[in-house]
Amino acid sequence: MNVDAGPGRSSLRSLEIFEAFRAARRPLSLSELARITDIPVSTCHGVMRSLEQLGYLYVVSGRDVYPTRRLWELADDLRANDPVAQRLEPALAALRDETDETVILGTRQGDAVLYLLVLEGRQSIRYSSRAGELKPLHSSSIGKVLLAGLEPAQLELWLDTHPLPRVTPNTQTNARRLRADLRAGLERGWQATRGENVADVMAIAAPLRTGATGLGVAIAGPMHRMQPAEARLGTRLLQCVRQLEDADVR
């Protein structure tokens, strides 16, 4: 999670420490943490000591430390009371179980899609991701849903002021073609990416109009499974979001 040095860096250093443990999957020493996070040793030492004093790290042996279960318990409490995911997760989990593909709930954060919930399919070859990941608007299926939901003038302004970087060889990098692709998705009922964010992954997504937050729900999986089943999966996706919207109205 390295970020540029600046006013916000100090507030993220504790999170960078935990990200380092997640990546390493083992206890780490001060020097290892400083190297992995690119935090100066003296600063890293201070962050470590603060986390130890708060009960988030413990000494395993010698110079190595590891997170305690306190962070896990904190995260579990937060997850259990998430106002959006808590309400939507049962229906999205049922969609995951029925399609056996990964189901994602996302929203817009700045010029990116923020994944709020990722329910991975159970097949050995599947699309994998994590809640909290950010994806480009123009190359992700939920991003296309959010772009297609803009007023025409807003969409034109966004296209005029934002580059469309190539993520894979299949990414739409031409504004005219992306605009046409969004129109086709609106006519079809769902937006689709075909290897545009991850080369061998296809995803379809639809808007979820519930509450004040703009949301999108996606089904994602390997291209060879998704393409032949697109119509069936798209129909089931639309049924799911409509059921959620109807439940919200009631």
Side-chain angles (χ1 to χ4, degrees):
M1 187 194 285
N2 283 338
V3 296
D4 295 334
R9 176 76 192 265
S10 60
S11 63
L12 294 176
R13 280 174 170 153
S14 294
L15 296 178
E16 292 178 352
I17 294 290
F18 290 118
E19 291 280 7
F21 282 113
R22 185 175 75 172
R25 300 186 177 187
R26 62 178 176 82
L28 296 170
S29 66
L30 170 61
S31 60
E32 288 176 316
L33 281 170
R35 175 178 53 80
I36 293 171
T37 59
D38 195 26
I39 298 175
V41 172
S42 59
T43 303
C44 190
H45 181 269
V47 176
M48 278 181 56
R49 289 293 169 261
S50 295
L51 291 172
E52 285 180 16
Q53 291 168 6
L54 291 170
Y56 287 101
L57 293 181
Y58 74 103
V59 178
V60 177
S61 62
R63 300 178 180 179
D64 292 344
V65 296
Y66 196 74
T68 68
R69 290 297 182 97
R70 181 169 184 174
L71 180 66
W72 183 85
E73 292 169 356
L74 172 64
D76 197 47
D77 286 342
L78 293 173
R79 177 183 177 277
N81 294 285
D82 184 320
V84 174
Q86 183 182 42
R87 178 165 49 91
L88 303 179
E89 186 169 1
L92 298 182
L95 180 64
R96 183 270 318 276
D97 293 343
E98 181 180 337
T99 62
D100 213 11
E101 301 291 358
T102 298
V103 171
I104 304 159
L105 176 70
T107 189
R108 182 172 178 177
Q109 183 158 294
D111 286 322
V113 173
L114 173 67
Y115 283 178
L116 299 176
L117 185 64
V118 179
L119 302 171
E120 291 192 7
R122 296 187 177 89
Q123 303 194 62
S124 57
I125 299 175
R126 62 184 183 272
Y127 175 67
S128 295
S129 190
R130 295 178 183 271
E133 288 196 13
L134 296 168
K135 302 295 181 181
L137 287 174
H138 71 292
S139 65
S140 61
S141 60
I142 295 178
K144 288 185 179 182
V145 162
L146 298 171
L147 288 176
L150 296 175
E151 294 294 329
Q154 292 177 314
L155 176 59
E156 290 307 313
L157 178 61
W158 192 89
L159 290 171
D160 287 343
T161 56
H162 290 77
L164 304 175
R166 187 176 300 281
V167 182
T168 75
N170 299 317
T171 305
Q172 296 278 1
T173 59
N174 178 279
R176 178 179 58 81
R177 291 178 181 173
L178 178 58
R179 191 184 297 110
D181 189 39
L182 296 177
R183 282 198 301 267
L186 288 171
E187 293 171 2
R188 185 172 52 234
W190 59 84
Q191 300 292 336
T193 52
R194 307 172 197 277
E196 296 160 49
N197 193 59
V198 179
D200 58 350
V201 168
M202 178 178 175
I204 61 173
L208 176 57
R209 302 174 181 90
T210 176
T213 304
L215 299 169
V217 177
I219 302 173
M223 190 90 71
H224 71 272
R225 284 204 306 262
M226 291 287 294
Q227 271 191 317
E230 179 179 355
R232 174 178 60 82
L233 293 173
T235 299
R236 184 63 189 93
L237 173 64
L238 294 179
Q239 290 173 344
C240 178
V241 296
R242 285 169 186 160
Q243 289 167 357
L244 288 169
E245 290 170 352
D246 290 345
D248 191 57
V249 170
R250 292 196 295 270

